[in-house]
Amino acid sequence: MLSEQSVQIIKSTVPVLEVHGVAITKRFYELLFGAHPELLHIFNHANQKQGRQQTALANAVYAAALHIENLAAILPAVKQIAHKHRSLGVKPEHYPIVGTYLLKAIKEVLGDAATEDILNAWAEAYGIIADAFIGVEAEMYDRAHAQAGGWEGFRAFRIGRKVRESDVITSFYLVPEDGGAIAGFEPGQYVSVKIDIPGDSHTHIRQYSLSDSPGKPYYRISVKREDAAQDRPAGKVSTYLQEYAGEGSVIRLSAPAGDFVLNRTDDRPVVLISGGVGLTPMVSMLNALAEKHPHRPVTFIHAAQNGGVHAMKRQVDELAGKQPQLSVYYCYGQPTAADRERQSFHKEGYVDLPWLKSVIAQPDAGYYFCGPLPFMRTVRRALREWGIPESDVHFEFFGPAASLETA
Ligand code: HEM
């Protein structure tokens, strides 16, 4: 328990730290990686460079600090981060290290304003927040390990099959090297993939949604090629997987994780809305629904730039041909002449509320969506405007969680 005085200090200094949030976390990472370069094997360097992780961590610590007297109130957010931490292999012994350098960074950036009382209060608060994370993560580690086919840490998987799904997306069918069973998962969950890239002194870890339903002897991930753009270099792991890893190559995976999952007990209709590579968890959900809940009405809506980059179309269309309760709609941003000729899409331009209203026949449903940030903002706003209850709306970010309203 924090003393009343410390609670007051924390609450009054959160706004100050928020003002300096990015400077503090930027300095924090410099200090952290300077003293513990081994942690560079866990963190995503691209997120670091773009400052996205800095903001995510800063926001999470300040949000937690504001609820320091009742951390249970932010348990869903803690769980979401804890899933990511568990999947990456963050351990209890890492927390004091992070705490030490966070405190050092606060002290450096605030200078004289960081009195001893302030620093002590934050050290105490950090300890409480860290304990909450450690507790939630310990349960997750136990569960991942105890589950049939489960494992701890990273396990070697061989690429059994590599299948091109579109001009930019390729699927990898992954089977365990040890020939053992693999853990079940909930449709919507992801795995962390750990890669050693020849000539690169760091290992790299990325999360990819599982793109097929559970219960198969393999895990499938579907990876988008991330070419270099003006503001970012080409994706290291995605390029390695797409260009260099072939059938027979071995990569390492941690057990499935994530709290963006299909509610299988709700038997109302389901609406799955995806943009681009955001379709991967949706196809997992779609396949699971078709296999286990074939009578549940499903509307599958997918937005892509054009037919060339539209992945898994044939699989989804074939399923729709077999399942009368499944309705499929495609929205292309810039259809090609061939797309028009084949009539392979239903709407041109962007997903919007009038169109969603026109294709979703049963709006009293569970809604799941995933895609690029602008797409997600649009869908979120549209569902709100339509009056869909928040409790029926579920979404997943690829990359550090950000706010749909502000990010
Ligand atoms: C990711 C918060 C401690 C390593 C994250 C994210 C948040 C966060 C908000 C982004 C989650 C997302 O992607 O959706 C916190 C808080 C901590 C804490 C509040 C302390 C109370 C730690 C520790 C480590 C760690 C001790 C290990 C050294 C990571 C890594 C990621 C991550 C590697 C993924 C970031 C990336 O590379 O993209 N954390 N974290 N965190 N955290 Fe923590």
Side-chain angles (χ1 to χ4, degrees):
M1 270 291 279
L2 268 186
S3 68
E4 186 50 38
Q5 191 201 358
S6 295
V7 170
Q8 290 317 319
I9 292 177
I10 294 296
K11 291 198 165 159
S12 61
T13 48
V14 165
V16 183
L17 295 192
E18 269 171 345
V19 170
H20 298 284
V22 174
I24 291 171
T25 35
K26 193 161 174 272
R27 184 65 188 133
F28 154 67
Y29 280 113
E30 284 165 8
L31 293 168
L32 179 73
F33 294 142
H36 289 274
E38 74 281 4
L39 292 178
L40 284 166
H41 293 291
I42 308 185
F43 282 86
N44 176 335
H45 302 198
N47 287 347
Q48 292 292 319
K49 283 198 189 111
Q50 291 168 23
R52 287 192 286 167
Q53 179 56 24
Q54 276 91 324
T55 318
L57 194 136
N59 287 347
V61 173
Y62 305 141
L66 276 178
H67 294 88
I68 194 75
E69 292 159 295
N70 179 19
L71 283 178
I74 56 160
L75 198 59
V78 172
K79 279 196 170 156
Q80 192 213 342
I81 299 164
H83 270 286
K84 180 73 77 69
H85 283 163
R86 201 283 291 147
S87 155
L88 285 155
V90 172
K91 290 288 170 61
E93 57 269 28
H94 291 131
Y95 281 87
I97 302 174
V98 162
T100 301
Y101 293 101
L102 192 57
L103 263 281
K104 273 194 203 281
I106 290 177
K107 194 172 171 188
E108 267 189 35
V109 173
L110 295 193
D112 290 344
T115 63
E116 205 165 306
D117 282 351
I118 290 179
L119 291 174
N120 287 341
W122 273 96
E124 229 185 307
Y126 176 82
I128 291 172
I129 296 166
D131 284 347
F133 275 90
I134 291 169
V136 172
E137 285 160 22
E139 278 173 31
M140 291 178 176
Y141 276 110
D142 286 349
R143 231 176 293 134
H145 189 49
Q147 194 186 357
W151 69 96
E152 215 174 293
F154 285 83
R155 180 173 170 192
F157 278 72
R158 192 165 27 83
I159 299 175
R161 265 196 321 138
K162 184 172 174 179
V163 177
R164 187 185 144 98
E165 304 282 9
S166 78
D167 290 353
V168 291
I169 295 177
T170 301
S171 284
F172 297 83
Y173 290 74
L174 306 168
V175 289
E177 268 285 85
D178 57 25
I182 53 172
F185 63 92
E186 291 296 323
Q189 286 195 305
Y190 57 80
V191 286
S192 278
V193 173
K194 193 184 220 178
I195 306 265
D196 291 300
I197 299 175
D200 190 320
S201 55
H202 294 114
T203 55
H204 295 273
I205 305 178
R206 294 290 184 279
Q207 288 73 40
Y208 293 105
S209 296
L210 291 160
S211 64
D212 202 350
S213 49
K216 308 271 159 58
Y218 56 81
Y219 292 136
R220 184 177 73 176
I221 57 170
S222 304
V223 178
K224 178 171 174 249
R225 203 180 63 220
E226 299 288 353
D227 293 330
Q230 242 177 357
D231 54 344
R232 56 174 166 79
K236 277 203 172 186
V237 175
S238 54
T239 303
Y240 175 80
L241 286 169
Q242 290 248 2
E243 306 289 330
Y244 302 104
E247 293 179 356
S249 298
V250 173
I251 59 177
R252 284 170 289 163
L253 303 190
S254 64
D259 62 350
F260 174 65
V261 296
L262 180 67
N263 180 345
R264 300 212 233 175
T265 55
D266 179 358
D267 56 5
R268 288 180 307 157
V270 184
V271 180
L272 306 174
I273 312 174
S274 57
V277 74
L279 100 168
T280 53
M282 301 305 165
V283 170
S284 174
M285 292 184 186
L286 179 65
N287 289 350
L289 285 160
E291 287 161 16
K292 302 277 188 212
H293 308 272
H295 303 297
R296 213 169 147 184
V298 179
T299 308
F300 182 91
I301 297 168
H302 180 58
Q305 211 40 19
N306 57 53
V309 293
H310 180 173
M312 300 178 184
K313 180 173 188 304
R314 204 162 58 182
Q315 296 168 39
V316 173
D317 286 347
E318 275 175 15
L319 205 54
K322 287 189 261 174
Q323 306 258 355
Q325 92 304 345
L326 169 61
S327 315
V328 170
Y329 300 97
Y330 302 129
C331 174
Y332 285 180
Q334 285 177 316
T336 61
D339 295 332
R340 290 185 201 287
E341 204 171 304
R342 288 190 213 113
Q343 300 189 330
S344 47
F345 61 100
H346 305 84
K347 179 185 187 325
E348 180 169 350
Y350 295 101
V351 168
D352 56 27
L353 181 55
W355 185 60
L356 288 177
K357 280 184 170 172
S358 74
V359 298
I360 299 171
Q362 294 167 277
D364 179 18
Y367 290 76
Y368 299 82
F369 64 94
C370 181
L373 202 50
F375 167 87
M376 291 185 54
R377 283 208 198 103
T378 304
V379 173
R380 168 93 154 154
R381 235 177 271 137
L383 296 180
R384 272 205 179 139
E385 208 179 312
W386 198 1
I388 306 298
E390 292 286 309
S391 54
D392 287 341
V393 176
H394 315 272
F395 53 87
E396 170 91 320
F397 279 104
F398 286 166
S403 158
L404 280 188
E405 279 76 23
T406 58

